[in-house]
Amino acid sequence: MLFSCSLQRQLSIIFGIIMVFLVIILSFLIGQRSIQEVQTEIGDSLADMAYLMGDKLDRYMWSRNGEVEIISEMQTIKEQENFNEIDQLLNQVRESFPAFSWIGLTNEAGEVISATDDILKGIDISERPV
């Protein structure tokens, strides 16, 4: 009876140690898999968001490019004879397209010769990011 009790105790201890190791190993494996799944989900979500933002930016810039092309083809702007008329035209365009906060016309040297609300008129903006 003494021998069987100690054998039973030894088996219980061994079984307990095996269970603890299995729990630790399984917890680690499940944790790693969960981390990978969360990272993949976050990456997919960010990729989708980046695609949507890029698409919106592309559409916005395409629209603005079309507006600028239309404005540049206007006879008043091409002739550049009456700057008061050009100023009025630029102000009307800005009111019609609220996406524009400022519209200006420069000469080849980068000096603003006509602008909405006369902002920067006569100023050289060739070094500015416009």
Side-chain angles (χ1 to χ4, degrees):
M1 181 94 173
L2 186 61
F3 180 73
S4 69
C5 186
S6 107
L7 179 61
Q8 185 179 9
R9 187 175 289 165
Q10 287 177 356
L11 287 175
S12 296
I13 291 173
I14 291 172
F15 182 73
I17 290 172
I18 290 173
M19 291 305 292
V20 168
F21 280 131
L22 284 175
V23 167
I24 290 172
I25 290 171
L26 286 175
S27 296
F28 178 76
L29 292 176
I30 291 171
Q32 290 301 314
R33 183 168 175 113
S34 297
I35 288 170
Q36 288 176 340
E37 287 180 12
V38 168
Q39 287 175 339
T40 301
E41 188 176 320
I42 290 171
D44 291 344
S45 174
L46 288 174
D48 289 343
M49 189 181 302
Y51 174 77
L52 291 174
M53 286 178 62
D55 186 54
K56 284 183 180 181
L57 182 61
D58 182 48
R59 289 180 192 204
Y60 179 80
M61 293 305 292
W62 179 80
S63 174
R64 299 293 83 81
N65 182 52
E67 292 162 359
V68 169
E69 284 181 14
I70 290 171
I71 294 168
S72 70
E73 293 298 319
M74 292 179 170
Q75 199 61 29
T76 304
I77 291 179
K78 281 185 167 183
E79 292 171 359
Q80 294 184 10
E81 293 175 1
N82 186 348
F83 292 113
N84 288 333
E85 190 176 328
I86 294 173
D87 287 343
Q88 290 174 354
L89 178 65
L90 294 180
N91 283 318
Q92 285 176 346
V93 169
R94 191 193 65 199
E95 289 174 12
S96 298
F97 299 107
F100 294 118
S101 59
W102 177 82
I103 304 171
L105 177 66
T106 65
N107 59 16
E108 295 83 15
E111 180 184 337
V112 178
I113 55 177
S114 183
T116 53
D117 297 330
D118 291 334
I119 297 173
L120 299 176
K121 200 169 187 179
I123 306 291
D124 180 7
I125 63 167
S126 60
E127 298 296 320
R128 293 188 180 191
V130 294

